Amino acid sequence: MKLIAGLGNYGKEYERTRHNAGFRVMDEIAMECQTEISQKKFQALISMIRIKGEQVLLMKPQTYMNNSGEAIGAAMRFYQIKSEDLLVIYDDIDLAVGKLRLREKGSAGGQNGMKSVIAHVGTDQIRRIRVGVGNDPLADRIGWVLGKIPQAQWEEHQASLILARDAALYSVTHTFQETMNRYNKR
């Protein structure tokens, strides 16, 4: 079994914010797989699907970004999911809007949701897709990530969500090295 989790904050006021890029990728995955991520379990919204015979748990933690690891860790313990079968998708202010970066391991890089996941999973050996949301060095960091994507960047941002969706789905049936080789080039 694999677990794909997108990080974000729940609630209408956060829907189009930069910090919710992970949630929006999960929405794209759900549409592509013709499912709804709506069942409540593990302090999260989940859906269980099959992709070419592989069982996949889709998850949107409902713990707010900074505590995302609570929900992910609980699901991993319940289903006995190994860390190598976890994929986490989240926003990254160090990448320009429209850019993706896939990695197999590493630090949280200042992203508090990923810090929580690493703490609750017990390793930084976690596959991840980072979705670029850009940065303004003059802006307050928290205000920036909780700000909305400007309309002028929305099309480019949406394209990166689709690309992240495709990379996540591709990773279910391919090695993550193959996935990185294919999607880090774009």
Side-chain angles (χ1 to χ4, degrees), residues 80-100:
Q80 299 179 340
I81 298 170
K82 296 178 257 168
S83 61
E84 59 265 23
D85 291 322
L86 170 64
L87 174 64
V88 181
I89 305 166
Y90 58 95
D91 63 283
D92 189 327
I93 66 170
D94 293 325
L95 292 174
V97 173
K99 300 293 181 192
L100 292 184

Side-chain angles (χ1 to χ4, degrees), residues 155-175:
E155 191 174 308
E156 193 173 16
H157 178 65
Q158 185 64 30
S160 72
L161 302 178
I162 300 297
L163 197 59
R165 171 202 72 193
D166 293 347
L169 294 173
Y170 186 85
S171 76
V172 172
T173 56
H174 296 82
T175 69

Side-chain angles (χ1 to χ4, degrees):
M1 173 185 276
K2 296 189 184 282
L3 169 57
I4 301 174
L7 306 188
N9 288 313
Y10 65 90
K12 283 234 180 271
E13 67 270 29
Y14 297 109
E15 281 180 0
R16 286 182 66 126
T17 64
R18 293 174 179 91
H19 228 14
N20 270 22
F23 274 12
R24 284 195 298 281
V25 173
M26 296 310 295
D27 294 340
E28 294 295 334
I29 290 171
M31 280 192 289
E32 183 71 15
C33 295
Q34 300 178 349
T35 190
E36 287 185 25
I37 304 173
S38 58
Q39 181 185 350
K40 293 179 181 177
K41 193 171 186 176
F42 311 114
Q43 296 182 46
L45 296 177
I46 65 167
S47 179
M48 192 71 75
I49 62 170
R50 284 201 173 276
I51 298 174
K52 296 187 179 178
E54 181 76 47
Q55 194 168 17
V56 181
L57 176 64
L58 304 177
M59 174 181 277
K60 292 167 63 175
Q62 301 294 287
T63 54
Y64 288 110
M65 175 67 78
N66 293 356
N67 297 315
S68 298
E70 294 174 14
I72 292 169
M76 290 180 71
R77 287 186 297 278
F78 183 84
Y79 289 112
Q80 299 179 340
I81 298 170
K82 296 178 257 168
S83 61
E84 59 265 23
D85 291 322
L86 170 64
L87 174 64
V88 181
I89 305 166
Y90 58 95
D91 63 283
D92 189 327
I93 66 170
D94 293 325
L95 292 174
V97 173
K99 300 293 181 192
L100 292 184
R101 187 71 65 232
L102 286 71
R103 291 182 64 197
E104 286 187 290
K105 61 184 176 181
S107 74
Q111 215 284 359
N112 289 330
M114 196 61 192
K115 282 181 190 173
S116 175
V117 173
I118 290 169
H120 284 271
V121 173
T123 182
D124 68 356
Q125 308 285 305
I126 298 170
R127 294 171 174 151
R128 66 214 50 198
I129 299 175
R130 297 167 22 220
V131 179
V133 295
N135 192 1
D136 179 350
L138 301 177
D140 168 65
R141 231 174 137 93
I142 294 170
W144 180 261
V145 295
L146 295 180
K148 298 192 185 305
I149 298 282
Q151 193 61 40
Q153 294 179 326
W154 189 254
E155 191 174 308
E156 193 173 16
H157 178 65
Q158 185 64 30
S160 72
L161 302 178
I162 300 297
L163 197 59
R165 171 202 72 193
D166 293 347
L169 294 173
Y170 186 85
S171 76
V172 172
T173 56
H174 296 82
T175 69
F176 204 68
Q177 187 62 53
E178 290 170 320
T179 306
M180 289 190 303
N181 289 343
R182 182 174 181 145
Y183 290 94
N184 269 338
K185 292 179 182 177
R186 298 181 186 242

